Amino acid sequence: MPAAPAVVNDVFDAVGSNASVAYAPGSINLLGEDCASSGGMLLATAIPAYAAVGIEEIDEQQLIVVYKRETTKMDFPDSVPAAFSQVPTAVAAAIVALQHSLHLVPRNSNGLKVTIASTIAPGRGFGEIPAIQCALALALNARFGDRDDVPTRTRIATAIHETMVQIKGQSWPLYPYTTALRSRPDSLLCINHSDEAVTQTAFPQSLALTVAYSPDVTGGSPDEERYEFFQQACAAFGVPTLASLPDSQERVADWVRARHEVHPDDEDIPTIGRAIQWLDEADASSDRARAVIGHIRHSDIQAAIAGVSRDVSERGSAPSASSVLGQIAELTDTIDCEKIARCAPCPGASLVMWSHVDDADRIASALNDGGSETIRVENTAAGAVVCLLYTSDAA
């Protein structure tokens, strides 16, 4: 297992000798359908940026969260609290999820002090909040749990995600939790949302993924309408995902038609045409993700880039020329090579440059010369618990 990232030292410097410390990576959606309710396929990867968390038991029945030199104190949560900023709320939500769903946090325990350090840029679609929550969960599991295996990490991801959906809405994705907890070093993940199966593929030496973003522009919130529609359809048919519904397109279209007949003036119900378009787009995007991961397994990088290019065209995920991301992408136009830029799912936040490894340095140099921040997707590692002796870490 790779050595613990340097950010862990920032937590060690701030906690006592009796702390439990863990870290988890950020993540990014590379291709496919990120709405878990669709049951589609998604290609994702961890990125070499991390959140580290240290937990210490305290005598007071409080939760104390220390993040970026700010300290937040609250009563130890039995439900998700209101009126706190994003990170303390996310920490409390994770504790509530792990306490209620997995009984991982003892109800009669003392309070907790949670110290956080992160090198994950916020607001860019890199999964900083899920990484913090996953690192917290690993530290809590090391403290109070009895095992750390794939089923346990799967249950942790699901429990925290379901709680966050209640807070943030259906567009809050599952894949950052799956990636942070279940990725392997230097691997790409093909996530099947129909059964939460994860296929690990070794990162090919001939492929380069370069993440670029503006240091002063963050992304907006994704459109929730499509996510809510998929979730409502699943609830209506009593299925976990639309992939488990036979003849889903025809049956969902009939369901939408019936809703319009019963509620003809309800503007929140999508048209039949739009509903079918969402279903078609989800299916097609999942198929392309499955095809691209197949090309990657065979190290056919040219075919993989062509598949991403087709998805960019079909899904409209190329950055517009007038946007900051579009201007960032244009910095590489003078480089004569096979490449494609795809926006990350957080609108306006970041993009991923797919290219051959021989062209990666020139692409990164052009992006950096234009003032863009870049991250090369390499030397990635899954979340892990860290020993307090600074010398090793263990899953």
Side-chain angles (χ1 to χ4, degrees):
M1 175 174 286
V7 69
V8 169
N9 291 330
D10 295 336
V11 172
F12 276 128
D13 291 340
V15 298
S17 60
N18 196 34
S20 298
V21 180
Y23 66 88
S27 57
I28 195 163
N29 171 350
L30 297 175
L31 193 68
E33 178 54 54
D34 61 345
C35 179
S37 296
S38 75
M41 304 292 291
L42 175 73
L43 182 59
T45 185
I47 61 174
Y50 300 87
V53 171
I55 62 168
E56 302 167 88
E57 293 183 70
I58 58 176
D59 293 334
E60 300 83 2
Q61 282 289 319
Q62 284 188 318
L63 173 62
I64 302 175
V65 180
V66 181
Y67 173 69
K68 291 186 176 180
R69 300 181 180 178
E70 293 186 2
T71 299
T72 302
K73 296 183 179 181
M74 65 182 80
D75 293 336
F76 200 81
D78 189 56
S79 59
V80 180
F84 289 98
S85 57
Q86 187 178 39
V87 169
T89 299
V91 168
I95 289 174
V96 169
L98 297 173
Q99 185 182 69
H100 292 182
S101 298
L102 302 182
H103 309 293
L104 186 58
V105 181
R107 289 180 178 270
N108 59 352
S109 68
N110 294 328
L112 291 174
K113 180 181 178 182
V114 177
T115 303
I116 303 166
S118 174
T119 59
I120 305 171
R124 268 79 176 193
F126 297 158
E128 185 196 31
I129 293 297
I132 291 172
Q133 293 175 313
C134 289
L136 171 65
L138 291 173
L140 288 169
N141 188 51
R143 194 103 177 172
F144 301 115
D146 59 359
R147 68 189 65 190
D148 183 1
D149 50 22
V150 170
T152 299
R153 291 191 174 208
T154 301
R155 289 194 295 271
I156 287 173
T158 301
I160 300 177
H161 173 253
E162 289 178 349
T163 299
M164 291 301 290
V165 166
Q166 297 174 12
I167 303 170
K168 297 291 188 178
Q170 294 299 327
S171 62
W172 194 259
L174 173 62
Y175 76 85
Y177 298 95
T178 302
T179 303
L181 290 169
R182 297 181 59 188
S183 63
R184 294 176 182 168
D186 287 322
S187 67
L188 301 176
L189 288 78
C190 194
I191 302 170
N192 188 339
H193 283 312
S194 66
D195 57 8
E196 296 189 25
V198 175
T199 302
Q200 308 275 356
T201 299
F203 202 101
Q205 295 182 349
S206 52
L207 173 65
L209 298 176
T210 304
V211 181
Y213 61 95
S214 169
D216 54 2
V217 177
T218 57
S221 300
D223 180 11
E224 289 198 19
E225 187 178 8
R226 177 172 62 90
Y227 296 82
E228 291 179 353
F229 169 74
F230 286 155
Q231 195 276 335
Q232 290 169 358
C234 289
F237 288 98
V239 294
T241 71
L242 292 181
S244 57
L245 179 66
D247 302 319
S248 61
Q249 186 171 108
E250 180 179 347
R251 296 175 69 179
V252 171
D254 289 341
W255 170 67
V256 173
R257 187 178 295 107
R259 291 180 67 192
H260 278 292
E261 291 176 355
V262 175
H263 305 286
D265 299 325
D266 191 343
E267 296 181 355
D268 292 334
I269 304 174
T271 65
I272 296 174
R274 191 171 191 186
I276 292 176
Q277 178 184 357
W278 285 337
L279 294 168
D280 284 341
E281 287 178 348
D283 289 344
S285 187
S286 296
D287 289 343
R288 287 190 290 272
R290 189 180 290 106
V292 167
I293 197 66
H295 296 317
I296 289 174
R297 288 194 192 101
H298 293 93
S299 296
D300 190 347
I301 302 308
Q302 185 174 358
I305 293 175
V308 176
S309 179
R310 181 181 176 188
D311 188 81
V312 168
S313 175
E314 295 290 333
R315 293 297 295 264
S317 57
S320 63
S322 60
S323 68
V324 173
L325 285 186
Q327 295 167 16
I328 289 174
E330 286 180 357
L331 298 173
T332 65
D333 285 350
T334 59
I335 301 174
D336 184 17
C337 66
E338 190 78 19
K339 62 183 183 301
I340 185 66
R342 180 183 184 272
C343 289
C346 189
S350 60
L351 56 83
V352 181
M353 299 291 304
W354 291 66
S355 70
H356 195 278
V357 69
D358 293 341
D359 304 311
D361 287 343
R362 290 186 295 153
I363 290 172
S365 178
L367 294 168
N368 291 331
D369 288 346
S372 171
E373 299 285 345
T374 59
I375 301 173
R376 179 77 172 271
V377 179
E378 59 185 357
N379 300 323
T380 61
V385 176
V386 186
C387 292
L388 294 179
L389 300 179
Y390 284 74
T391 57
S392 65
D393 55 334

